Amino acid sequence: MRGNFRRDLTLAAGEGTTFRLRRSWGARLLSWGLATAALVATGLDLLAHRPLLAAGQLTLGVAFIALQIRAELDGWRFDGSNLRPAAILALGAGFEVVTLRARNIREVGVTSSGRRARAWIETHNGDEYALVEGSAAEVERIAEGIRRSVQLAAAQPPTKTVH
């Protein structure tokens, strides 16, 4: 299984078959709140003439901002024919962008255990990509939205066909 199951994603529908899996507002507010608190603490420590504590708080604030940026970039987009996860690699600051064509997606799988569930995508090659994890109802809603969009896109003829 490639990738990690995310607990902070919600389905944001676009026009037609397009959609995004994006971070929920609660997760965004918490991340920015922690970063802001760390930066305010840095300022207070500088005013109190505690440079070592200020350096530690500044490091913490920068780390929260870096995690926020990584979490925002680590989402999914479906443009009507391709599903694209973007994940930051640990090696350098490069990006790994995988493009999954709708026609190459075999299924959007869901597995449940009690009130929790996980959803993933499986391609015809057998590759599996982790999507979301959370409450069974929310995961099933997200998976069903992805299934509908992918099936509709896969059923459409290629755009370069001349009639």
Side-chain angles (χ1 to χ4, degrees), residues 9-48:
L9 296 179
T10 60
L11 184 65
E15 294 181 21
T17 61
T18 64
F19 68 83
R20 277 183 58 199
L21 286 177
R22 55 181 268 185
R23 290 186 76 205
S24 64
W25 284 106
R28 287 178 174 181
L29 289 176
L30 178 63
S31 295
W32 285 116
L34 290 171
T36 302
L39 295 177
V40 167
T42 299
L44 293 174
D45 286 334
L46 285 174
L47 289 175

Side-chain angles (χ1 to χ4, degrees), residues 1-5 76 83 85 96 98 100 104-111 118-132:
M1 181 90 48
R2 294 183 184 185
N4 297 318
F5 290 100
W76 293 81
L83 184 63
E96 174 189 17
V98 179
L100 303 175
N104 295 338
I105 295 174
R106 179 185 306 163
E107 72 170 322
V108 178
V110 176
T111 184
R118 287 181 167 182
W120 70 91
I121 289 179
E122 184 176 344
T123 64
H124 289 292
N125 297 338
D127 295 332
E128 294 179 339
Y129 296 87
L131 287 175
V132 295

